[in-house]
Amino acid sequence: MPLFEIETNAHIIITWAADEEAAHAVVVDAYPTDNVIRMTKRPRDSWVISKGALGLTTTTTLDPCVTARDCLAKSAGDKVHAIRLYMNQTGTDLDAARKVIESNMVMGW
């Protein structure tokens, strides 16, 4: 069963569901007043949240990059492909693109 990341106006929900319709039903059941902002079918069956990205370590916190997250979504989580997409969209060099994509992966893309 796929894992979905669902962002609403008030929550981020991680849930297993058969499809997007079933994932949306989870939100309606649990938080009927929330509006779904973004729903992503995760490319893997597990979820990892970096303590550094949450500011729970001495590591600098990172800001999510909408372009990088879009590239990761388009590449289905394939880091190398996401880096290429990011370089193409932004004109960034390889090293900078790698850092942006990897930092967004750390934040639980």
Side-chain angles (χ1 to χ4, degrees), residues 20-79:
E20 285 190 21
E21 185 177 319
H24 193 272
V26 169
V27 176
V28 171
D29 183 51
Y31 303 101
T33 60
D34 282 14
N35 297 316
V36 174
I37 297 170
R38 180 178 54 86
M39 183 179 303
T40 306
K41 182 178 175 184
R42 304 290 299 172
R44 307 279 187 265
D45 62 355
S46 60
W47 179 261
V48 177
I49 298 174
S50 167
K51 291 170 83 174
L54 295 175
L56 300 175
T57 66
T58 57
T59 306
T60 306
T61 58
L62 305 167
D63 292 326
C65 173
V66 174
T67 304
R69 292 175 72 81
D70 184 52
C71 291
L72 281 160
K74 288 177 182 175
S75 70
D78 179 337
K79 181 173 84 170

